[in-house]
Amino acid sequence: MIEKTALNSGWTLTCNDTGRSGLPAAILATVPGCVHLDLLANRLIPDPYIDVNEIANDWIGKTDWTYRCSFEARPRDGRVWELVFDGLDTIAVISLNGEEIGRTFNMHRSYRFDVSALLKVGQNDLTVTFRSAYAYGAEMEKHYGYRPNNYPGPGNLIRKMACNFGWDWGPTLVTAGLWKPLRLESWDRARLAETRVSASLAGGDGLVKVQARLSRHGDRGPCRLVAEIGGVTKTVAIGADEDAVSLELRLPAPQLWWPHHLGAQPLYPLTLKLIDEASGGLLDSFQRDLGFRSLRLDTAADEHGSAFTFVINDVPLFICGANWIPDDCFPPRVTAERYAARIEEAKAANIHLLRVWGGGIFETDEFYQACDRMGMLVWQDFLFACAAYPEEEPLRSEVEAEVRDNVVRLMPHASLVLWNGNNENIWGFDEWGWRPIIKAGESWGLGYYLELLPKLCGELDPDRPYYPGSPYSGSMEIEPNADAHGCKHIWDVWNDVGYEVYRNYIPRFCSEFGWQAPAAWATIAESVHDAPLTPQSNGVFHHQKATQGNDKLIRGLAGHLPEPQTMDDWHFATQLNQARAIRFGVEHMRSHRDICKGAVVWQFNDCWPVTSWAALDSAGRRKPLWYALKAAYDPRLLTIQPRGDGLAAVAVNERTLFWRAKIAGKRLKLDGTVLAEFEFWRLLCDRFEAKEFPLPGDIVTPDLPKNEVVVVEMLDRRAFHYFVEDIDLALQAPRLAVDVSGIDGGYEVKVTAQNFLKDLCLMADRLDPDAVVDSMLVTLLPGESHVFVVRTAEVIRAEDITVGTVLRSVNDLVAGN
């Protein structure tokens, strides 16, 4: 039987720059962890997330560091003793008892070293010395030559989390360390060296495929592999001269695994036991929870170009998704509980796919386990982003090793639905000016995306689709970011033009599009201490990493909202505009679901407190965008869209049952006076359908555009249309009444409108940094009420709900302008 001893305690950290003053000879270190976290825990550096402290920590990534620990061992003859490192970040030399046992060059893979000849009875000394990633990257640039990179540092020349070197939403915090657990393992005769498991459907039965490769030592006697799932058991004999085994199990009529918006997520524990034939003793074991579902990616040619449609259990889906970045600049801080909380927040926002983006990491097992349990689909990028990558050695071998490692590790997960080759690199080569920079005959990564990666996926995980890139049209003969083929990124919107331009595109699948806004007010207050606090004050400006980001925030308001004159109004107006932009884009794409089969917004989460494209900020606080996504991704959506010379109400139904109800609408003055109305009995929208209902001419033709609104209702869904932008809308200053009543765990805040209130928001973090409100962006006609549920441990009174600070609306911004 394998014996495992965790080696996660007793570590110290030493700075190898002896000329740096102010550091002790050694400090206590935490493993798993990293250099920055250890220095922070020992109060030796300022928190890099606060103010402009990031730049005071630049020296850390340019320095070498050594981790040391001593551990007890009792090695016995006849057994293999191995040190196993689940993750080292990144360029490391490992020594045991003064002897070098290995060198590592890749954060994204595990390492195993045989130390049987070096391990001593009693005390053993283990050291891991990390070299500066910058120094190694400089060497690699001399070795490979220059390759274009959209972001700072050598992230394209070294197998390290690329965004560690800085991104347009992330700081430059180049760290090092033992970022995943390590252990001492001991075994004899045989162990499971590689275990590949897949679960799929064969008709109505579940089909489990197991392919195992053994490591052998000493007595190469026969053994057997026993597999069990759902009461079905199968045993396969392994001869003394065999090092590989495969088997299949059929589970009769398992319950299907579904994404959360469609059904349940039953998981079946699979257990594998490797048993010695002679003694009957257990040599090794393996356990995973499997879900059964069918999966394919439909990229067939059709009348619109070529599709990009996920088909699960034979159901073509419209994907409501978001891009996922590392949830912390220092991944060891992200616990299983934090993963679960973030994914629950995504689920609550009606998101059912997270794209793990290629400039980050392969997340830890806990992320994918949580997605399996919660019915959250996962699109997994291979780790290539926004740069040209050499295909020569030694990088090529490291890429192959990390791909093998992670495909085998992650392939049992039912939630994982796509391997994607890269982020924006084919697009970059084609359209970002890389061609004249890359010399003739120089590699830039295409061989990875079109040859190596599909070859490895086909060998290791043939039941799961692979796609070469995002964006990619499916062919090098077609421009990579084409509307009619494959998956598309829309980035002229935000960077160059306003969000109304989303309607110029009907992509087959949009895997990136986004709009920026600052973090929640409480998050800014915790991380920036400028006095006064302004959009251009040093700390706020430093926590905006996008080039001309603040200028784009203001430019993006043009034609929609007035330019704000105070910090409070800047914060609310830009957050509101972000929510508006993304809801506008999503509803447009969903209304064309016969052509477009997915919207994956950039981005869901943040890694530090920053002005960014995220819906959930780094403290886990919801921005207004979170509430806009919840509405726009509602499985039953009612929206008003331009069609021809008029308008149509579009019902979009992603539920498993048809949606049939009366649809009714009115054209009103903002004071509530009805000018025209209609009623239709009944509109039928089948499951997985977008059904258009053309609105009557007297509804879509205004008398006074700046003073009118169209409201359409279908059961409890409601949609609005305005004939002018907010900046021209005749909104008055908000008049309202507020009533607060206590409930278990918080309060109900009832707001009654005395005039038309547009996009009413209760900013709960202005009352209590830990408070959470259930709804935002609520529009009320005169006389209507809405109840906000606020979860908080603090005392809230009606007088605390101040208009213009806690209670915000478009009325605040435009009345009197």
Side-chain angles (χ1 to χ4, degrees), residues 26-43:
I27 61 174
L28 294 177
T30 299
V31 172
C34 67
V35 169
H36 282 77
L37 296 181
D38 290 328
L39 294 172
L40 197 58
N42 285 272
R43 302 172 64 84

Side-chain angles (χ1 to χ4, degrees), residues 109-183:
R109 56 172 291 200
S110 60
Y111 290 88
R112 180 180 291 266
F113 303 103
D114 187 339
V115 295
S116 304
L118 293 176
L119 201 64
K120 301 187 300 186
V121 174
Q123 199 81 351
N124 290 266
D125 297 320
L126 178 61
T127 65
V128 183
T129 297
F130 289 95
R131 189 179 178 202
S132 163
Y134 283 117
Y136 179 76
E139 284 184 7
M140 290 299 99
E141 184 166 344
K142 291 179 182 177
H143 174 72
Y144 297 120
Y146 172 75
R147 297 294 197 283
N149 186 351
N150 268 25
Y151 292 93
N156 57 333
L157 309 177
I158 177 176
R159 299 312 293 161
K160 175 177 172 62
M161 184 170 83
C163 61
N164 214 192
F165 294 98
W167 220 263
D168 54 7
W169 37 257
T172 300
L173 293 170
V174 180
T175 197
L178 298 141
W179 78 283
K180 286 186 174 181
L182 69 149
R183 59 195 171 277

Side-chain angles (χ1 to χ4, degrees), residues 681-699:
W681 189 274
R682 302 177 177 177
L683 184 67
L684 173 62
C685 182
D686 206 353
R687 61 184 175 216
F688 313 128
E689 181 183 37
K691 176 61 70 71
E692 296 182 4
F693 181 87
L695 296 181
D698 61 345
I699 294 292

Side-chain angles (χ1 to χ4, degrees), residues 302 304-308 473 481-486 488 506-508 595:
D302 59 22
H304 305 293
S306 55
F308 194 95
S473 62
N481 204 29
D483 275 15
H485 304 274
K488 181 180 181 67
I506 306 177
R508 304 312 305 270
I595 299 173

Side-chain angles (χ1 to χ4, degrees), residues 751-807:
V751 178
T752 301
Q754 295 167 0
N755 61 349
F756 188 92
L757 298 180
K758 187 174 183 186
D759 285 336
L760 187 65
C761 299
L762 194 155
M763 315 305 276
D765 66 303
R766 300 296 291 260
L767 296 167
D768 166 21
D770 296 324
V772 178
V773 66
D774 70 323
S775 52
M776 272 196 194
L777 305 170
V778 178
T779 294
L780 297 176
L781 302 177
E784 292 183 336
S785 298
H786 178 77
V787 176
F788 295 95
V789 177
V790 181
R791 299 295 175 186
T792 178
E794 298 295 317
V795 174
I796 295 178
R797 300 161 300 174
E799 53 264 36
D800 298 325
I801 313 297
T802 53
V803 175
T805 305
V806 175
L807 209 55

